Each structure stands twice: as structure tokens, then as C-alpha cells.
Amino acid sequence: MFSDRDEFKEEFLKKLEMTCGKSFGESTERDHYFTLGNMIREHVSTEWINTNERYRIDREKQVYYLSIEFLLGRLLHHNLMNLGIEQVVKDGLADLGIDLNRLEEIEADAGLGNGGLGRLAACFMDSLASLNLPGHGCGIRYKHGLFEQKIVDGYQVELPEQWLRNGHVWEVRKADLAIEVPFWGKVETTEENGRLVFRHVNAETISAVPYDMPVVGYKTDTINTLRLWNAEPSPYPVNHDILKYKRDTESVSEFLYPDDTHDEGKILRLKQQYFLVSASIRSIVRSYRKQHSSLRNFHEYVSIHINDTHPVLAIPELMRILLDEEEMGWEEAWNITVHTIAYTNHTTLSEALEKWPVRIFQPLLPRIYMIVNEINERFCRVLWERYPGDWKRIEDMAIIAHDQVKMAHLALVGSLSVNGVAALHTEILKNREMNQFYEIFPDKFNNKTNGITHRRWLLKANPLLSDLINESIGAGWIREPEKLRELADFKNDRVFLDQLHQIKQLNKEKLAKRIQEQHGIIADTSSIFDIQVKRLHAYKRQLLNILHVMHLYNRLKEDSNFRMHPRTFIFGAKASPGYYYAKKIIKLINTVAEKVNYDPQTRDVLKVIFLENYRVSLAEEIFPAADISEQISTASKEASGTGNMKFMMNGALTVGTLDGANIEIKEKAGDGNIFIFGLTADEVLSFYQNGGYNSREYYHHDKRIRQVVDQLVNGFFPDADDEFEPIFDSLLMENDQYFVLRDFASYINIQKEAGKAYEDREHWLKMSLMNIAGSGYFSSDRTISEYAREIWKIRPAGVEMMNK
Ligand code: 26W
């Protein structure tokens, strides 16, 4: 690469003229950004080719991670850091009067995901490459990522996101590797030489064109590939209305999760899923065939991971190739398929478990449907032998039942491994949600607690803290994050703790500056920054948080002796466009903000800020500035959570329920270094099973609760009319499905405790330090090593690591 800044500068200026056709004097910041991006990508390409070459020659086993979401965020800084050229580039640009930070801000977030599941996929890409593991991503190149959120008059407004507006420097279009994906039409069955032959005829095909992105590992030569498929009109259309065909085709990779409340949306979703799966599997098979004469040992060289059920059609698609193209018998094809596919479950919420009506599935994917049907029949036969006469059980477990294809059941039957994403979640899958499957496939089930890449979420996002860590324990933690443990030695070191405090303050100031610029609100950096950022969902209980704010407001107004450490409550969340209730909560948060932020009696102690358009790049500024991390989901509902880990790694203390990975965070941070409250998962599940919860009792018996709940509808918010009636109703008329009122008192208490604890600065800093020290376990390097060893059986390629 560039050995020094002068060499870099020379190349940069040359490249600038070539790519932008302008002299340096005429060029803009955007030109600089594109020049730099292109330069880096080109430099990477040699190693990228070498990596692929090495994988081909070594014939080592590869893993492909199929995901309908990749929430990548920005890549410039990340790539510079991983290539180890950040400093040279920064200095070289500075000589030219260019500020690297400003160039980084120009890059649009690649926001091809909704939340945790998509961000997890992105963190996994980084860990795979950084650990020199042969692992690649396969996804969809959505033209529009998750919508851009504007808050207008307190309401969420969605604008189409435009990340490709100015092109994307990291992608390489590979038009010659396009794959034709067939839909509709019908299957002709004939007999040839004593075997049944299936032909999919009259299909409408869509071209899947790959766009490849290099995935640069941290200071290593390994560069893996993230392949995103773009939907384009096929060169051989059968449809005569060309314009309609073009529109229909392109819509397949236009939006992430199109609205699926109507059949048309459902068809599009299913189309997207098969589009991703078919293109990916066939390109995997195509490259496999270059090295191997048959697919007989496919599973020994390839592992395919499905991120939730969205790509579960990988199972019948691989079967189709083995049966129809390789002409294998069912048993052999099935054996290979089951040994290739592994599945991760990310939720137990029944509304998120995918089911497709047969009336949609069968005509859209006729051959795939036949195969799913055959898988189902064979599975039901096995069940019948094992549980003769138990119709109810067979009906419950079938893949196809009541005109529905149950995608999770297909995944459970067709993969060799099924994992949950935190210890509690896996136990709930085994003992409850998927218990009947656990009974017949006990060996498939395993846990892989989620992780996050500490390189983006600590090293990059929090440079001040990273420097302090490097100075105190050395830089070994960057490759071996568990070494963060050594920080515990400093827990009685006053000077160190003071530095920790200074850093937190600086990070808070930076966030406060952004808040002031963007929202015109002044956040007091000596107040506690209490933050909840995540998708907006009833089970995550942003409502509990904001009702608590209302309660504090009431206390301040009514009791002049009431004292609390000043707090700034910060929210960031997008609500799914069709999720009416979630949007009401956003409006409520903004309405409370209006009230408390401008009341002279409270504004110095209480501030509420709703940050617009929460996304990866904004998240990188938020986590380092947090004092308190809100992880308050109804126990049993949050499969894992990963934001909780990002907060912990940046020294925030968790206020949380015993849910998802919070339980493991508590173990790693130590019982005294976390604030736990509320019902346990067992208690919640037992209420669901046996009843016994009546939210109105809590309303009637606790006047603090009665007061805030009444305030939703009694004119307390002067312009609200009946705006918040649906929230009121959910709490009292629908018996508060998420136990907000049940956990309210316990939440008030723990928050009070946390507020008090903050006032003992030294003790607080110690607790904060113990969180950072315990966070190494939550590096996705640990998670990925476990997947690699226990599920995928892949090994690191032997390459030189840079000694930087
Ligand atoms: C029906 C389609 C659908 C698709 C995606 C429903 C819901 C989703 C979510 C966005 C899935 C998701 O992000 N789940 C989260 O996955 C994280 C990574 O494992 C977990 O940490 C979170 O607990 C889980 O909610």
C-alpha cells in the first residue's frame, strides 16, 4: 500500500484527476471522498483476488451466510482502520488541507436492514475476515434501505432512503455472473429412462446481477466477499408487456421488507426470498463445480447458514439442484442438504414466525413447492411412526398445514443445527417454543450467544477510550478482546478512573453538540445520559421508560423537596411504517419532551430527546456517550439484544430485565455492576400460561401508576385529544400484554437506585470499568469462533498477519 504520506498524496492527486476530471483546485469534498474510496478499493483488489485464489487452491471448506438484511453502515473509516492505513491517509489529506473526518461524513449509511438481525450479519462479516475464516455474505442490493425517518409535529414520517443516489464506491458489478431466477409457469413431469424428470416451463425469469463488496479483515491479508444481488430484467423475457415486466422485476430489489399486509406485498416478499436464495445457492454451486467433479461431497466443503427463516428456501433449492440437475436420489440429496444447512432463530414472537399461504407459494414457485411438499410428507411419516395416532402433534409439527407453509418448521427439519442467540433464548426454544422438535432432534439444538465487533463499536467509535485501554493494558485486546479483563486491575486506580470520567464527559459533549445542532436542545453533560435506542416495539417497552419520565415530572411538580440527579433521557427508534401502536409511542415521547423540556420548574433536571433517524452512523456517536443503557424488554421476549453489549463495552451501566443477553451481561459485569428489575421470564411465561395478571389491580392500587395512566387521556397534554387512547386501552382494556404496569414500581425503584449510585462518582466509575472489563466475551470474534468450530467446521486460512 502507501508507505508514506507523500506517496499517498501523489497517488491521490493523480487519481482525483482521473476519476473526477477536475483539477485539485476545482474539486469538491465529494470528489475527494470518491477519489479516496476508489483508491482504497483498487488497492484492496489485489489481496481480494489473492484471497479467492487461495480459497480455490486450498479447497478449504467455505461458509456462506445468507441474510435478507445487512446493516453495514459506513465503510470508509472501517476499511482504513482494518487496512492499517488510517494515519497515513489522515496525514496525507491534512497536508492537502482536507479533513478526513469530513470525508467520512459524506458516505451514506448502507442501511439494508431493520435492526439487530441485520447488524449482527454485518458484525459477523467483520469477524469472519478478521479471524481469517473463509466466510462470505449473500444478500440483496436494495435500492432503498430502511426508510429515512423525519419527526414532524412529533409524528414519524417516512421518506425513501437513497443510499445509492451518488453511487457506492465499495461495490463491483459483475454482470457476466448474472443468474436467471424463474418464477411462475408450471412443472412438466415426464419419465425418461425409468426416472421422473421435472421441467419448469413458461417461467418468468428475473436476472440476479451480483454486486460484490470486499470485506476487509483487521490488519490481515484476508479479504472476503459480500455479494448483494440486484434484480434486473432478464435478457429473455416471455412477458410481452415489457414496461410492466421491467417494473415488476426491478421491484424485487427495490425495498427492504415491502408492506406485506396485502397479497401483493406477500408475493413480493416471497419473491425476494427465493430470488436471494436461488441466486446465492446457484452461484455457490457454480464455483464449487469448478473444483469438484460432482456434488457428492458438497457438505464437506460448503456450509450454508440461514439468518432466520427468510432464506429457508435454500433447503428446497439445494434439493432441486441435487435432484433435478445432478440426478441424485432423494436420500442422498437429503443427506447432503441437511448436512449443509444451519439455521439461527432470532425470535420467539409468534407474529414474526413466517408462514406463507399455499395459494401464493405454489403458483409462484411450482417446483420448489413440490419439493417442500415431499419433505413434509416424509417428515409426517416419520412422526407417524414415532407417535402413532397422535394426530394433534403431527398437525402441530407439519411443515404444511391448514393451507400454510411454516418456514420455521422447514428450517428445523432441513438443517443440521438450530441455534438461539442467547442462553435464555435457546432454553426457551428447547423447553417451550420448539419443544416438540427438540424432543425428536435434541442434538440439533445449541446456543450461540450474539456478539458485536469490538473494532467498530469500541476501537473505531470510541477512540479516546481505546487509547486509554491501549496505554494501560496494551493493544492485545484488539485481537483478543477477552484481554479487556485485565482492566479490572485498575479498579482502585484513582488516576485511571478519573481519565475514564474525562473520556465519558468528552463523548457526552460531542453528542450534546450534535443534539443542539440538530434539535436545538441543550443537554447538560453533568446530567445522567440515560439512553434507549433500538427498534420501536411494544415488547421493548419504550412505554415503560416514558411513563417513568412522566412520573418523575409529577414528583418534581408536586413535591418541592423531591431531589434527583439531573437526567437526560435520550430515545432513538424507528417504527415499522404499518405499526400503528409503535407510532403512537413515538408521538407520546415527543409530547412528553415538549412538556418537560420547556417547563421552568423541571427543565434543569429533566430533559427528553428523541433523536431523529436512528441508524448505524448515529449509533456510533451514541454508545460512547451513555451513562445508563435501557434494556427493559418484557422478560422472555428479547431473544438476545446486541445494543446492550455495545453500551456495556463503552462503559454504560445497564438498567434491565433478566431477558436475552442481559443475563449474561450480568454474569460478566458482576451482580453489583448492573441494575436488574422486574418479572423473570419464568414468571412472565407462567402468567401467559395460567393467567393471574390483572393490570387494573395495579392501576387501582398504585396511585403513581394511576396518575401517569390517567394523564394519557385526561387533558394533561393539552393538544392531545384522544391521541393516546390506544395506549391507555392497551394498558387497561387489553390487560397490558407486556406487563408495563406490573413492572412499573420495580422500575421506579431501580432507577432511583441508579440515580443515587451515580452521585458516588468513584463507585460509579468502578462499576463502569467492570462493565468494560467484562465485555470482551461479547465480541463477535468469540461468537464467530464458536460457529466456526461447532457448526460450520471451518478453519482459519494460514496467512500472515500484519505486524502493525
Ligand atoms: C416478519 C419479518 C421480520 C423480519 C425481521 C420480523 C422481525 C424482524 C426483526 C427485525 C428481526 C430482528 O432483528 N431480531 C433481533 O435479532 C437480534 C440478533 O439476533 C437479537 O439480538 C434481537 O433480540 C432480535 O429481536
Side-chain angles (χ1 to χ4, degrees):
M1 207 130 312
F2 331 103
S3 43
D4 60 36
R5 60 210 278 178
D6 292 326
E7 201 179 309
F8 166 77
K9 268 188 301 195
E10 193 181 323
E11 198 180 321
F12 179 81
L13 291 173
K14 214 186 295 160
K15 186 84 197 165
L16 177 72
E17 286 180 6
M18 286 192 316
T19 37
C20 306
K22 289 184 190 165
S23 71
F24 182 62
E26 288 172 300
S27 61
T28 64
E29 274 188 337
R30 187 170 293 284
D31 296 329
H32 302 158
Y33 166 72
F34 272 96
T35 303
L36 179 60
N38 279 308
M39 245 169 104
I40 304 303
R41 204 202 55 239
E42 282 169 20
H43 272 281
V44 156
S45 51
T46 320
E47 282 311 321
W48 197 4
I49 294 167
N50 288 345
T51 302
N52 284 325
E53 197 67 4
R54 207 169 54 229
Y55 289 157
R56 242 196 314 275
I57 294 165
D58 294 354
R59 302 216 310 181
E60 283 282 351
K61 191 173 182 187
Q62 310 279 306
V63 63
Y64 297 89
Y65 196 83
L66 270 55
S67 179
I68 205 89
E69 298 189 13
F70 281 93
L71 200 43
L72 299 167
R74 291 180 177 147
L75 297 170
L76 176 59
H77 188 128
H78 177 82
N79 284 343
L80 291 174
M81 185 179 84
N82 282 13
L83 291 167
I85 55 172
E86 195 185 339
Q87 202 54 48
V88 177
V89 169
K90 202 183 182 94
D91 296 343
L93 289 172
D95 287 351
L96 298 169
I98 301 169
D99 179 357
L100 176 59
N101 290 326
R102 290 181 56 124
L103 298 196
E104 284 164 8
E105 294 281 320
I106 289 175
E107 183 171 5
D109 276 44
L112 311 182
N114 278 286
L117 171 143
R119 184 54 231 175
L120 186 75
C123 285
F124 281 5
M125 290 298 110
D126 181 53
S127 287
L128 280 164
S130 296
L131 295 171
N132 297 307
L133 288 164
H136 315 278
C138 303
I140 296 178
R141 182 179 178 268
Y142 302 103
K143 182 171 174 196
H144 304 286
L146 186 60
F147 65 86
E148 185 184 329
Q149 179 191 55
K150 286 257 177 280
I151 300 296
V152 179
D153 191 22
Y155 296 99
Q156 167 175 298
V157 174
E158 301 108 27
L159 304 176
E161 189 281 338
Q162 302 269 19
W163 70 296
L164 291 172
R165 189 169 33 201
N166 297 304
H168 188 61
V169 290
W170 307 111
E171 62 183 18
V172 183
R173 180 182 165 94
K174 305 235 171 103
D176 54 326
L177 296 180
I179 284 179
E180 301 300 308
V181 182
F183 296 95
W184 310 108
K186 62 179 209 292
V187 177
E188 276 179 5
T189 313
T190 51
E191 212 190 292
E192 285 170 25
N193 307 324
R195 72 174 273 137
L196 288 178
V197 173
F198 302 93
R199 252 183 226 104
H200 190 171
V201 297
N202 288 334
E204 183 179 301
T205 64
I206 295 181
S207 266
V209 179
Y211 282 70
D212 286 356
M213 278 196 232
V215 183
V216 180
Y218 182 75
K219 296 187 182 173
T220 146
D221 288 342
T222 299
I223 299 185
N224 289 333
T225 302
L226 171 58
R227 174 161 284 184
L228 300 180
W229 296 99
N230 198 45
E232 299 179 16
S234 152
Y236 331 101
V238 291
N239 192 314
H240 298 297
D241 183 347
I242 294 294
L243 277 180
K244 181 175 181 308
Y245 168 70
K246 186 168 180 294
R247 251 195 332 271
D248 284 358
T249 306
E250 287 167 355
S251 69
V252 170
S253 60
E254 194 152 338
F255 290 100
L256 167 81
Y257 294 128
D259 176 20
D260 68 350
T261 42
H262 306 290
D263 270 11
E264 215 179 318
K266 284 206 174 81
I267 291 171
L268 192 50
R269 281 282 301 276
L270 189 56
K271 251 190 183 171
Q272 286 187 326
Q273 298 187 352
Y274 185 64
F275 172 77
L276 163 65
V277 156
S278 178
S280 304
I281 304 277
R282 283 159 61 197
S283 90
I284 295 165
V285 168
R286 180 172 58 194
S287 65
Y288 183 83
R289 280 196 176 119
K290 289 195 189 136
Q291 301 306 309
H292 303 262
S293 54
S294 88
L295 297 186
R296 204 121 281 156
N297 304 314
F298 188 71
H299 54 293
E300 287 165 23
Y301 295 92
V302 175
S303 189
I304 294 174
H305 204 91
I306 56 176
N307 197 22
D308 217 294
T309 57
H310 320 127
V312 75
L313 296 179
I315 293 164
E317 177 67 1
L318 184 52
M319 284 298 284
R320 186 191 63 75
I321 292 169
L322 298 173
L323 295 168
D324 297 359
E325 296 178 14
E326 288 289 298
E327 305 190 350
M328 279 182 194
W330 184 277
E331 298 297 338
E332 187 180 14
W334 183 246
N335 184 53
I336 293 171
T337 301
V338 174
H339 283 92
T340 302
I341 312 273
Y343 156 62
T344 298
N345 173 284
H346 294 267
T347 185
T348 55
L349 296 187
S350 54
E351 64 268 28
L353 290 177
E354 292 193 297
K355 298 181 190 78
W356 296 107
V358 171
R359 74 186 142 76
I360 287 178
F361 195 127
Q362 185 168 22
L364 184 67
L365 306 168
R367 178 63 185 135
I368 293 298
Y369 182 77
M370 288 171 82
I371 293 170
V372 173
N373 202 36
E374 180 72 25
I375 296 172
N376 181 47
E377 277 177 16
R378 287 172 186 252
F379 177 58
C380 288
R381 243 174 277 148
V382 171
L383 291 176
W384 181 252
E385 268 163 40
R386 180 150 173 170
Y387 306 105
D390 194 347
W391 285 111
K392 166 83 174 77
R393 182 189 295 258
I394 296 170
E395 187 183 314
D396 282 352
M397 296 180 73
I399 297 167
I400 305 174
H402 305 289
D403 190 45
Q404 301 239 299
V405 184
K406 298 182 182 168
M407 305 301 250
H409 294 192
L410 179 55
L412 286 158
V413 174
S415 44
L416 88 159
S417 164
V418 176
N419 74 279
V421 289
L424 172 71
H425 173 229
T426 301
E427 287 310 302
I428 293 176
L429 291 179
K430 291 200 297 197
N431 302 329
R432 295 174 190 261
E433 246 34 66
M434 296 180 168
N435 180 255
Q436 294 185 318
F437 287 89
Y438 180 54
E439 214 175 90
I440 43 175
F441 306 124
D443 301 336
K444 287 191 185 190
F445 285 76
N446 64 94
N447 176 247
K448 295 284 167 283
T449 297
N450 280 167
I452 57 171
T453 168
H454 59 289
R455 286 170 292 269
R456 180 177 291 260
W457 297 108
L458 176 52
L459 185 60
K460 167 177 183 295
N462 200 340
L464 298 173
L465 181 55
S466 302
D467 286 347
L468 176 64
I469 297 172
N470 288 341
E471 284 160 24
S472 39
I473 61 168
W477 64 277
I478 302 172
R479 286 208 199 281
E480 291 169 78
E482 305 253 5
K483 285 203 167 144
L484 288 170
R485 262 284 160 235
E486 295 167 16
L487 288 170
D489 296 345
F490 294 82
K491 73 170 189 288
N492 297 315
D493 181 333
R494 289 238 170 119
V495 177
F496 183 92
L497 293 179
D498 192 52
Q499 284 172 304
L500 200 57
H501 176 72
Q502 299 302 334
I503 288 168
K504 184 61 81 184
Q505 287 310 114
L506 288 169
N507 289 330
K508 285 164 79 171
E509 276 161 29
K510 201 168 146 218
L511 183 62
K513 185 158 165 267
R514 167 181 277 277
I515 291 172
Q516 193 178 359
E517 280 166 11
Q518 211 156 358
H519 300 266
I521 302 171
I522 295 178
D524 168 11
T525 52
S526 70
S527 72
I528 299 172
F529 276 23
D530 178 324
I531 309 188
Q532 186 171 22
V533 284
K534 48 182 78 249
R535 280 183 292 128
L536 212 137
H537 202 291
Y539 84 79
K540 295 178 185 279
R541 299 200 296 191
Q542 282 94 349
L543 177 60
L544 178 59
N545 188 344
I546 198 67
L547 290 178
H548 172 243
V549 176
M550 288 167 65
H551 165 71
L552 293 176
Y553 177 80
N554 292 335
R555 296 289 321 234
L556 288 165
K557 295 292 279 185
E558 288 162 5
D559 179 357
S560 57
N561 293 320
F562 179 71
R563 290 281 169 271
M564 60 176 274
H565 191 95
R567 267 202 215 206
T568 304
F569 291 90
I570 298 172
F571 293 83
K574 288 181 181 174
S576 171
Y579 192 172
Y580 174 76
Y581 184 77
K583 291 181 155 180
K584 286 282 172 196
I585 306 283
I586 291 182
K587 175 65 177 168
L588 177 61
I589 295 169
N590 286 310
T591 307
V592 173
E594 276 294 307
K595 187 142 187 135
V596 311
N597 293 351
Y598 299 102
D599 186 327
Q601 252 179 300
T602 58
R603 67 181 175 201
D604 293 336
V605 262
L606 213 51
K607 280 266 156 61
V608 177
I609 292 154
F610 188 95
L611 287 171
E612 208 171 55
N613 203 30
Y614 179 57
R615 62 197 181 282
V616 174
S617 58
L618 183 55
E620 288 170 21
E621 295 181 39
I622 293 174
F623 292 114
D627 295 308
I628 288 182
S629 153
E630 297 277 349
Q631 306 301 333
I632 58 178
S633 53
T634 309
S636 81
K637 297 284 181 192
E638 189 68 271
S640 162
T642 43
N644 48 2
M645 302 168 185
K646 294 163 198 164
F647 278 113
M648 177 198 198
M649 203 172 261
N650 284 280
L653 269 63
T654 305
V655 168
T657 47
L658 286 174
D659 198 18
N662 296 353
I663 296 174
E664 290 154 82
I665 286 179
K666 173 169 167 285
E667 274 164 32
K668 302 293 172 188
D671 285 357
N673 303 317
I674 187 166
F675 300 99
I676 296 291
F677 75 99
L679 291 173
T680 63
D682 278 339
E683 288 165 339
V684 167
L685 293 168
S686 136
F687 274 130
Y688 282 134
Q689 223 161 41
N690 312 317
Y693 173 54
N694 181 354
S695 65
R696 289 184 200 206
E697 280 174 23
Y698 288 80
Y699 171 81
H700 287 299
H701 292 139
D702 188 331
K703 70 173 197 305
R704 302 169 299 180
I705 294 181
R706 202 160 57 243
Q707 185 175 20
V708 293
V709 172
D710 286 346
Q711 283 170 338
L712 294 172
V713 292
N714 69 5
F716 172 74
F717 302 115
D719 307 319
D721 295 328
D722 51 4
E723 181 82 60
F724 303 124
E725 225 164 73
I727 302 177
F728 181 89
D729 287 351
S730 76
L731 293 172
L732 295 183
M733 309 299 157
E734 291 144 37
N735 200 29
D736 183 18
Q737 292 302 296
Y738 296 99
F739 300 94
V740 173
L741 304 188
R742 179 69 174 72
D743 280 347
F744 195 68
S746 159
Y747 185 56
I748 292 177
N749 290 338
I750 204 76
Q751 283 286 29
K752 200 194 269 170
E753 207 181 292
K756 267 215 204 93
Y758 188 79
E759 302 205 311
D760 181 348
R761 178 180 293 178
E762 195 175 321
H763 185 62
W764 182 272
L765 289 166
K766 253 182 224 178
M767 293 195 288
S768 166
L769 178 62
M770 293 312 289
N771 272 273
I772 304 168
S775 70
Y777 178 79
F778 299 104
S779 164
S780 46
D781 286 6
R782 188 267 313 151
T783 313
I784 281 295
S785 304
E786 290 176 7
Y787 276 96
R789 202 173 49 239
E790 294 163 23
I791 301 178
W792 303 328
K793 320 271 190 224
I794 54 169
R795 298 186 307 195
V799 294
E800 295 285 311
M801 304 288 274
M802 283 181 236
N803 273 331
K804 284 190 187 145

